[in-house]
mmCIF file of all heavy atoms in Angstrom:
data_model
loop_
_atom_site.group_PDB
_atom_site.id
_atom_site.type_symbol
_atom_site.label_atom_id
_atom_site.label_comp_id
_atom_site.label_asym_id
_atom_site.label_seq_id
_atom_site.Cartn_x
_atom_site.Cartn_y
_atom_site.Cartn_z
ATOM 1 N N ALA A 1 139.583 94.359 77.617
ATOM 2 C CA ALA A 1 138.678 93.265 77.985
ATOM 3 C C ALA A 1 138.235 92.495 76.747
ATOM 4 O O ALA A 1 138.125 91.263 76.764
ATOM 5 C CB ALA A 1 137.465 93.821 78.735
ATOM 6 N N MET A 2 137.991 93.217 75.648
ATOM 7 C CA MET A 2 137.657 92.554 74.381
ATOM 8 C C MET A 2 138.825 91.701 73.888
ATOM 9 O O MET A 2 138.644 90.568 73.433
ATOM 10 C CB MET A 2 137.308 93.609 73.332
ATOM 11 C CG MET A 2 135.970 94.292 73.518
ATOM 12 S SD MET A 2 134.614 93.205 73.068
ATOM 13 C CE MET A 2 134.986 92.911 71.347
ATOM 14 N N GLY A 3 140.038 92.253 73.995
ATOM 15 C CA GLY A 3 141.218 91.518 73.553
ATOM 16 C C GLY A 3 141.407 90.226 74.314
ATOM 17 O O GLY A 3 141.772 89.190 73.739
ATOM 18 N N ARG A 4 141.149 90.274 75.612
ATOM 19 C CA ARG A 4 141.272 89.074 76.436
ATOM 20 C C ARG A 4 140.308 87.985 75.971
ATOM 21 O O ARG A 4 140.629 86.790 76.019
ATOM 22 C CB ARG A 4 141.004 89.437 77.896
ATOM 23 C CG ARG A 4 141.264 88.311 78.870
ATOM 24 C CD ARG A 4 141.108 88.798 80.293
ATOM 25 N NE ARG A 4 139.849 89.495 80.482
ATOM 26 C CZ ARG A 4 139.556 90.237 81.554
ATOM 27 N NH1 ARG A 4 140.457 90.410 82.496
ATOM 28 N NH2 ARG A 4 138.385 90.818 81.669
ATOM 29 N N ALA A 5 139.118 88.402 75.498
ATOM 30 C CA ALA A 5 138.153 87.433 74.980
ATOM 31 C C ALA A 5 138.576 86.909 73.610
ATOM 32 O O ALA A 5 138.454 85.720 73.308
ATOM 33 C CB ALA A 5 136.762 88.082 74.898
ATOM 34 N N ILE A 6 139.103 87.806 72.771
ATOM 35 C CA ILE A 6 139.456 87.432 71.398
ATOM 36 C C ILE A 6 140.566 86.381 71.348
ATOM 37 O O ILE A 6 140.501 85.431 70.566
ATOM 38 C CB ILE A 6 139.865 88.689 70.599
ATOM 39 C CG1 ILE A 6 138.636 89.554 70.336
ATOM 40 C CG2 ILE A 6 140.540 88.310 69.290
ATOM 41 C CD1 ILE A 6 138.978 90.930 69.789
ATOM 42 N N VAL A 7 141.603 86.534 72.192
ATOM 43 C CA VAL A 7 142.745 85.612 72.106
ATOM 44 C C VAL A 7 142.365 84.182 72.461
ATOM 45 O O VAL A 7 143.072 83.241 72.087
ATOM 46 C CB VAL A 7 143.917 86.064 73.020
ATOM 47 C CG1 VAL A 7 144.480 87.379 72.556
ATOM 48 C CG2 VAL A 7 143.499 86.118 74.482
ATOM 49 N N ARG A 8 141.252 84.007 73.132
ATOM 50 C CA ARG A 8 140.832 82.651 73.496
ATOM 51 C C ARG A 8 140.250 81.897 72.307
ATOM 52 O O ARG A 8 140.074 80.679 72.376
ATOM 53 C CB ARG A 8 139.808 82.715 74.626
ATOM 54 C CG ARG A 8 140.373 83.294 75.912
ATOM 55 C CD ARG A 8 139.310 83.396 76.993
ATOM 56 N NE ARG A 8 138.729 82.099 77.316
ATOM 57 C CZ ARG A 8 137.793 81.924 78.234
ATOM 58 N NH1 ARG A 8 137.341 82.961 78.931
ATOM 59 N NH2 ARG A 8 137.313 80.725 78.465
ATOM 60 N N SER A 9 139.896 82.620 71.225
ATOM 61 C CA SER A 9 139.259 82.007 70.042
ATOM 62 C C SER A 9 138.090 81.115 70.456
ATOM 63 O O SER A 9 138.052 79.909 70.130
ATOM 64 C CB SER A 9 140.286 81.192 69.241
ATOM 65 O OG SER A 9 141.350 82.006 68.824
ATOM 66 N N PRO A 10 137.114 81.680 71.180
ATOM 67 C CA PRO A 10 136.006 80.866 71.684
ATOM 68 C C PRO A 10 134.984 80.568 70.586
ATOM 69 O O PRO A 10 135.014 81.164 69.510
ATOM 70 C CB PRO A 10 135.398 81.765 72.757
ATOM 71 C CG PRO A 10 135.600 83.146 72.205
ATOM 72 C CD PRO A 10 136.938 83.104 71.507
ATOM 73 N N GLN A 11 134.070 79.673 70.911
ATOM 74 C CA GLN A 11 132.943 79.420 70.008
ATOM 75 C C GLN A 11 131.918 80.540 70.084
ATOM 76 O O GLN A 11 131.241 80.823 69.093
ATOM 77 C CB GLN A 11 132.272 78.085 70.355
ATOM 78 C CG GLN A 11 133.067 76.857 69.972
ATOM 79 C CD GLN A 11 132.247 75.599 70.156
ATOM 80 O OE1 GLN A 11 131.774 75.299 71.254
ATOM 81 N NE2 GLN A 11 132.060 74.850 69.083
ATOM 82 N N VAL A 12 131.779 81.148 71.276
ATOM 83 C CA VAL A 12 130.739 82.156 71.499
ATOM 84 C C VAL A 12 131.299 83.296 72.345
ATOM 85 O O VAL A 12 132.008 83.047 73.335
ATOM 86 C CB VAL A 12 129.505 81.548 72.227
ATOM 87 C CG1 VAL A 12 128.416 82.597 72.409
ATOM 88 C CG2 VAL A 12 128.961 80.341 71.457
ATOM 89 N N PHE A 13 130.987 84.536 71.962
ATOM 90 C CA PHE A 13 131.232 85.709 72.802
ATOM 91 C C PHE A 13 129.954 86.044 73.551
ATOM 92 O O PHE A 13 128.869 86.099 72.962
ATOM 93 C CB PHE A 13 131.614 86.933 71.961
ATOM 94 C CG PHE A 13 133.013 86.935 71.428
ATOM 95 C CD1 PHE A 13 133.274 87.412 70.158
ATOM 96 C CD2 PHE A 13 134.069 86.485 72.190
ATOM 97 C CE1 PHE A 13 134.564 87.432 69.647
ATOM 98 C CE2 PHE A 13 135.366 86.495 71.697
ATOM 99 C CZ PHE A 13 135.606 86.972 70.428
ATOM 100 N N CYS A 14 130.064 86.318 74.851
ATOM 101 C CA CYS A 14 128.956 86.828 75.652
ATOM 102 C C CYS A 14 129.348 88.214 76.174
ATOM 103 O O CYS A 14 130.397 88.345 76.805
ATOM 104 C CB CYS A 14 128.667 85.909 76.839
ATOM 105 S SG CYS A 14 128.070 84.272 76.368
ATOM 106 N N MET A 15 128.528 89.209 75.919
ATOM 107 C CA MET A 15 128.850 90.576 76.325
ATOM 108 C C MET A 15 127.695 91.135 77.146
ATOM 109 O O MET A 15 126.567 91.264 76.635
ATOM 110 C CB MET A 15 129.106 91.461 75.102
ATOM 111 C CG MET A 15 130.229 90.957 74.224
ATOM 112 S SD MET A 15 130.662 92.121 72.922
ATOM 113 C CE MET A 15 131.857 91.127 71.998
ATOM 114 N N ASP A 16 127.986 91.459 78.402
ATOM 115 C CA ASP A 16 126.949 91.930 79.331
ATOM 116 C C ASP A 16 127.093 93.437 79.561
ATOM 117 O O ASP A 16 127.879 93.865 80.397
ATOM 118 C CB ASP A 16 127.057 91.168 80.646
ATOM 119 C CG ASP A 16 125.852 91.407 81.552
ATOM 120 O OD1 ASP A 16 124.915 92.110 81.126
ATOM 121 O OD2 ASP A 16 125.845 90.884 82.682
ATOM 122 N N GLU A 17 126.350 94.222 78.804
ATOM 123 C CA GLU A 17 126.346 95.693 78.897
ATOM 124 C C GLU A 17 127.769 96.257 78.952
ATOM 125 O O GLU A 17 128.108 97.009 79.867
ATOM 126 C CB GLU A 17 125.525 96.153 80.100
ATOM 127 C CG GLU A 17 124.087 95.653 80.051
ATOM 128 C CD GLU A 17 123.122 96.518 80.832
ATOM 129 O OE1 GLU A 17 123.251 97.748 80.796
ATOM 130 O OE2 GLU A 17 122.212 95.956 81.475
ATOM 131 N N PRO A 18 128.620 95.931 77.988
ATOM 132 C CA PRO A 18 130.030 96.333 78.084
ATOM 133 C C PRO A 18 130.267 97.827 77.912
ATOM 134 O O PRO A 18 131.358 98.302 78.215
ATOM 135 C CB PRO A 18 130.686 95.547 76.944
ATOM 136 C CG PRO A 18 129.594 95.340 75.948
ATOM 137 C CD PRO A 18 128.351 95.144 76.768
ATOM 138 N N LEU A 19 129.270 98.575 77.438
ATOM 139 C CA LEU A 19 129.485 100.000 77.178
ATOM 140 C C LEU A 19 128.831 100.909 78.212
ATOM 141 O O LEU A 19 128.916 102.133 78.092
ATOM 142 C CB LEU A 19 128.938 100.368 75.785
ATOM 143 C CG LEU A 19 129.435 99.525 74.609
ATOM 144 C CD1 LEU A 19 128.877 100.060 73.302
ATOM 145 C CD2 LEU A 19 130.948 99.486 74.570
ATOM 146 N N SER A 20 128.198 100.353 79.222
ATOM 147 C CA SER A 20 127.391 101.174 80.129
ATOM 148 C C SER A 20 128.227 102.120 80.985
ATOM 149 O O SER A 20 127.701 103.106 81.506
ATOM 150 C CB SER A 20 126.540 100.276 81.036
ATOM 151 O OG SER A 20 127.363 99.413 81.789
ATOM 152 N N ASN A 21 129.531 101.854 81.121
ATOM 153 C CA ASN A 21 130.378 102.743 81.937
ATOM 154 C C ASN A 21 131.053 103.845 81.118
ATOM 155 O O ASN A 21 131.828 104.629 81.665
ATOM 156 C CB ASN A 21 131.471 101.925 82.652
ATOM 157 C CG ASN A 21 130.897 101.073 83.777
ATOM 158 O OD1 ASN A 21 129.839 101.388 84.319
ATOM 159 N ND2 ASN A 21 131.582 100.001 84.119
ATOM 160 N N LEU A 22 130.757 103.910 79.822
ATOM 161 C CA LEU A 22 131.394 104.901 78.963
ATOM 162 C C LEU A 22 130.487 106.114 78.774
ATOM 163 O O LEU A 22 129.258 106.008 78.879
ATOM 164 C CB LEU A 22 131.719 104.291 77.597
ATOM 165 C CG LEU A 22 132.564 103.014 77.601
ATOM 166 C CD1 LEU A 22 132.813 102.554 76.177
ATOM 167 C CD2 LEU A 22 133.877 103.224 78.338
ATOM 168 N N ASP A 23 131.100 107.274 78.477
ATOM 169 C CA ASP A 23 130.277 108.457 78.206
ATOM 170 C C ASP A 23 129.611 108.308 76.843
ATOM 171 O O ASP A 23 129.945 107.440 76.041
ATOM 172 C CB ASP A 23 131.112 109.734 78.272
ATOM 173 C CG ASP A 23 132.223 109.778 77.229
ATOM 174 O OD1 ASP A 23 131.912 109.697 76.027
ATOM 175 O OD2 ASP A 23 133.405 109.895 77.614
ATOM 176 N N ALA A 24 128.627 109.199 76.574
ATOM 177 C CA ALA A 24 127.760 109.033 75.408
ATOM 178 C C ALA A 24 128.539 109.003 74.096
ATOM 179 O O ALA A 24 128.296 108.148 73.233
ATOM 180 C CB ALA A 24 126.717 110.155 75.378
ATOM 181 N N LYS A 25 129.493 109.913 73.913
ATOM 182 C CA LYS A 25 130.239 109.972 72.660
ATOM 183 C C LYS A 25 131.084 108.724 72.462
ATOM 184 O O LYS A 25 131.138 108.154 71.365
ATOM 185 C CB LYS A 25 131.125 111.226 72.640
ATOM 186 C CG LYS A 25 131.895 111.403 71.339
ATOM 187 C CD LYS A 25 132.712 112.687 71.353
ATOM 188 C CE LYS A 25 133.479 112.871 70.054
ATOM 189 N NZ LYS A 25 134.289 114.117 70.048
ATOM 190 N N LEU A 26 131.730 108.271 73.535
ATOM 191 C CA LEU A 26 132.584 107.087 73.446
ATOM 192 C C LEU A 26 131.760 105.829 73.224
ATOM 193 O O LEU A 26 132.204 104.886 72.562
ATOM 194 C CB LEU A 26 133.430 106.967 74.711
ATOM 195 C CG LEU A 26 134.619 106.005 74.662
ATOM 196 C CD1 LEU A 26 135.532 106.336 73.489
ATOM 197 C CD2 LEU A 26 135.399 106.071 75.965
ATOM 198 N N ARG A 27 130.545 105.804 73.759
ATOM 199 C CA ARG A 27 129.676 104.650 73.544
ATOM 200 C C ARG A 27 129.365 104.481 72.066
ATOM 201 O O ARG A 27 129.389 103.372 71.530
ATOM 202 C CB ARG A 27 128.372 104.809 74.322
ATOM 203 C CG ARG A 27 128.505 104.564 75.800
ATOM 204 C CD ARG A 27 127.181 104.678 76.506
ATOM 205 N NE ARG A 27 126.319 103.554 76.191
ATOM 206 C CZ ARG A 27 125.271 103.202 76.929
ATOM 207 N NH1 ARG A 27 124.968 103.896 78.008
ATOM 208 N NH2 ARG A 27 124.537 102.185 76.594
ATOM 209 N N VAL A 28 129.046 105.586 71.389
ATOM 210 C CA VAL A 28 128.733 105.519 69.963
ATOM 211 C C VAL A 28 129.937 105.007 69.182
ATOM 212 O O VAL A 28 129.818 104.130 68.311
ATOM 213 C CB VAL A 28 128.298 106.901 69.444
ATOM 214 C CG1 VAL A 28 128.132 106.873 67.931
ATOM 215 C CG2 VAL A 28 126.992 107.336 70.107
ATOM 216 N N GLN A 29 131.110 105.524 69.505
ATOM 217 C CA GLN A 29 132.333 105.118 68.808
ATOM 218 C C GLN A 29 132.648 103.646 69.068
ATOM 219 O O GLN A 29 132.970 102.889 68.141
ATOM 220 C CB GLN A 29 133.492 106.002 69.274
ATOM 221 C CG GLN A 29 134.841 105.615 68.691
ATOM 222 C CD GLN A 29 135.975 106.452 69.289
ATOM 223 O OE1 GLN A 29 135.745 107.522 69.831
ATOM 224 N NE2 GLN A 29 137.182 105.943 69.191
ATOM 225 N N THR A 30 132.544 103.233 70.338
ATOM 226 C CA THR A 30 132.941 101.870 70.699
ATOM 227 C C THR A 30 131.952 100.843 70.183
ATOM 228 O O THR A 30 132.338 99.734 69.791
ATOM 229 C CB THR A 30 133.099 101.746 72.224
ATOM 230 O OG1 THR A 30 133.954 102.784 72.705
ATOM 231 C CG2 THR A 30 133.689 100.406 72.608
ATOM 232 N N ARG A 31 130.658 101.162 70.174
ATOM 233 C CA ARG A 31 129.688 100.183 69.673
ATOM 234 C C ARG A 31 129.913 99.921 68.183
ATOM 235 O O ARG A 31 129.743 98.796 67.717
ATOM 236 C CB ARG A 31 128.264 100.638 69.958
ATOM 237 C CG ARG A 31 127.688 101.689 69.051
ATOM 238 C CD ARG A 31 126.342 102.175 69.563
ATOM 239 N NE ARG A 31 125.717 103.118 68.661
ATOM 240 C CZ ARG A 31 124.809 104.010 69.032
ATOM 241 N NH1 ARG A 31 124.437 104.088 70.308
ATOM 242 N NH2 ARG A 31 124.270 104.827 68.171
ATOM 243 N N THR A 32 130.329 100.946 67.445
ATOM 244 C CA THR A 32 130.654 100.749 66.032
ATOM 245 C C THR A 32 131.864 99.834 65.886
ATOM 246 O O THR A 32 131.888 98.941 65.028
ATOM 247 C CB THR A 32 130.939 102.104 65.356
ATOM 248 O OG1 THR A 32 129.801 102.955 65.525
ATOM 249 C CG2 THR A 32 131.228 101.940 63.889
ATOM 250 N N GLN A 33 132.866 100.030 66.747
ATOM 251 C CA GLN A 33 134.064 99.196 66.692
ATOM 252 C C GLN A 33 133.739 97.741 67.026
ATOM 253 O O GLN A 33 134.246 96.819 66.379
ATOM 254 C CB GLN A 33 135.115 99.743 67.666
ATOM 255 C CG GLN A 33 135.689 101.103 67.262
ATOM 256 C CD GLN A 33 136.573 101.686 68.343
ATOM 257 O OE1 GLN A 33 136.493 101.315 69.513
ATOM 258 N NE2 GLN A 33 137.447 102.616 67.950
ATOM 259 N N ILE A 34 132.893 97.524 68.045
ATOM 260 C CA ILE A 34 132.547 96.158 68.442
ATOM 261 C C ILE A 34 131.786 95.455 67.323
ATOM 262 O O ILE A 34 132.078 94.305 66.980
ATOM 263 C CB ILE A 34 131.719 96.166 69.744
ATOM 264 C CG1 ILE A 34 132.604 96.567 70.923
ATOM 265 C CG2 ILE A 34 131.092 94.799 69.996
ATOM 266 C CD1 ILE A 34 131.854 96.687 72.241
ATOM 267 N N ALA A 35 130.803 96.142 66.735
ATOM 268 C CA ALA A 35 130.020 95.532 65.661
ATOM 269 C C ALA A 35 130.903 95.201 64.461
ATOM 270 O O ALA A 35 130.793 94.123 63.856
ATOM 271 C CB ALA A 35 128.886 96.464 65.249
ATOM 272 N N SER A 36 131.804 96.120 64.110
ATOM 273 C CA SER A 36 132.703 95.884 62.982
ATOM 274 C C SER A 36 133.659 94.722 63.265
ATOM 275 O O SER A 36 133.894 93.866 62.409
ATOM 276 C CB SER A 36 133.492 97.165 62.687
ATOM 277 O OG SER A 36 134.458 96.950 61.684
ATOM 278 N N LEU A 37 134.189 94.678 64.489
ATOM 279 C CA LEU A 37 135.118 93.621 64.867
ATOM 280 C C LEU A 37 134.439 92.258 64.840
ATOM 281 O O LEU A 37 135.004 91.270 64.355
ATOM 282 C CB LEU A 37 135.680 93.921 66.256
ATOM 283 C CG LEU A 37 136.671 92.916 66.826
ATOM 284 C CD1 LEU A 37 137.937 92.883 65.977
ATOM 285 C CD2 LEU A 37 137.016 93.268 68.273
ATOM 286 N N GLN A 38 133.210 92.196 65.352
ATOM 287 C CA GLN A 38 132.500 90.922 65.378
ATOM 288 C C GLN A 38 132.272 90.394 63.972
ATOM 289 O O GLN A 38 132.404 89.190 63.714
ATOM 290 C CB GLN A 38 131.157 91.094 66.106
ATOM 291 C CG GLN A 38 130.418 89.792 66.389
ATOM 292 C CD GLN A 38 129.570 89.301 65.227
ATOM 293 O OE1 GLN A 38 129.190 90.078 64.359
ATOM 294 N NE2 GLN A 38 129.277 88.008 65.208
ATOM 295 N N ARG A 39 131.967 91.272 63.047
ATOM 296 C CA ARG A 39 131.724 90.840 61.677
ATOM 297 C C ARG A 39 133.009 90.358 61.007
ATOM 298 O O ARG A 39 132.996 89.457 60.181
ATOM 299 C CB ARG A 39 131.042 91.948 60.884
ATOM 300 C CG ARG A 39 129.547 92.052 61.236
ATOM 301 C CD ARG A 39 128.926 93.398 60.917
ATOM 302 N NE ARG A 39 127.514 93.441 61.247
ATOM 303 C CZ ARG A 39 127.021 93.607 62.476
ATOM 304 N NH1 ARG A 39 127.837 93.727 63.500
ATOM 305 N NH2 ARG A 39 125.723 93.636 62.690
ATOM 306 N N ARG A 40 134.149 90.960 61.380
ATOM 307 C CA ARG A 40 135.428 90.500 60.843
ATOM 308 C C ARG A 40 135.810 89.131 61.408
ATOM 309 O O ARG A 40 136.309 88.268 60.701
ATOM 310 C CB ARG A 40 136.527 91.519 61.160
ATOM 311 C CG ARG A 40 136.630 92.668 60.149
ATOM 312 C CD ARG A 40 137.866 93.498 60.403
ATOM 313 N NE ARG A 40 137.709 94.362 61.559
ATOM 314 C CZ ARG A 40 138.710 94.930 62.218
ATOM 315 N NH1 ARG A 40 139.951 94.691 61.868
ATOM 316 N NH2 ARG A 40 138.471 95.721 63.246
ATOM 317 N N LEU A 41 135.558 88.945 62.713
ATOM 318 C CA LEU A 41 135.924 87.680 63.354
ATOM 319 C C LEU A 41 134.937 86.571 63.031
ATOM 320 O O LEU A 41 135.312 85.391 62.993
ATOM 321 C CB LEU A 41 136.000 87.879 64.870
ATOM 322 C CG LEU A 41 137.087 88.835 65.386
ATOM 323 C CD1 LEU A 41 136.922 89.055 66.885
ATOM 324 C CD2 LEU A 41 138.478 88.295 65.069
ATOM 325 N N GLY A 42 133.665 86.936 62.839
ATOM 326 C CA GLY A 42 132.650 85.942 62.507
ATOM 327 C C GLY A 42 132.298 85.012 63.650
ATOM 328 O O GLY A 42 131.811 83.901 63.419
ATOM 329 N N VAL A 43 132.511 85.441 64.902
ATOM 330 C CA VAL A 43 132.213 84.602 66.066
ATOM 331 C C VAL A 43 130.783 84.870 66.536
ATOM 332 O O VAL A 43 130.359 86.028 66.638
ATOM 333 C CB VAL A 43 133.195 84.884 67.221
ATOM 334 C CG1 VAL A 43 132.845 84.035 68.443
ATOM 335 C CG2 VAL A 43 134.621 84.604 66.769
ATOM 336 N N THR A 44 130.041 83.818 66.792
ATOM 337 C CA THR A 44 128.687 83.951 67.324
ATOM 338 C C THR A 44 128.726 84.799 68.593
ATOM 339 O O THR A 44 129.499 84.513 69.516
ATOM 340 C CB THR A 44 128.107 82.560 67.645
ATOM 341 O OG1 THR A 44 128.205 81.733 66.483
ATOM 342 C CG2 THR A 44 126.664 82.662 68.088
ATOM 343 N N THR A 45 127.900 85.839 68.648
ATOM 344 C CA THR A 45 127.952 86.792 69.757
ATOM 345 C C THR A 45 126.555 87.075 70.284
ATOM 346 O O THR A 45 125.629 87.338 69.506
ATOM 347 C CB THR A 45 128.607 88.114 69.308
ATOM 348 O OG1 THR A 45 129.934 87.852 68.848
ATOM 349 C CG2 THR A 45 128.654 89.131 70.444
#
């Protein structure tokens, strides 16, 4: 789902509770990945 948003090269990313369906351990891992990815892409989020 993140990849589908990234390929569009939008001006703004909107994310509505994207981690709420994941278990606790995966949430911690994925939130780190999302934050790191956003900083690399530099897209307003």
Side-chain angles (χ1 to χ4, degrees):
M2 287 286 299
R4 187 174 51 193
I6 289 169
V7 295
R8 296 178 59 179
S9 301
Q11 287 189 301
V12 182
F13 284 142
C14 295
M15 302 188 186
D16 191 3
E17 302 205 40
L19 307 183
S20 59
N21 288 336
L22 305 181
D23 62 59
K25 183 178 180 180
L26 195 55
R27 284 182 72 161
V28 173
Q29 176 185 340
T30 308
R31 78 188 184 203
T32 303
Q33 292 172 339
I34 289 176
S36 175
L37 180 64
Q38 189 275 338
R39 283 158 179 79
R40 275 189 285 162
L41 296 173
V43 178
T44 306
T45 300

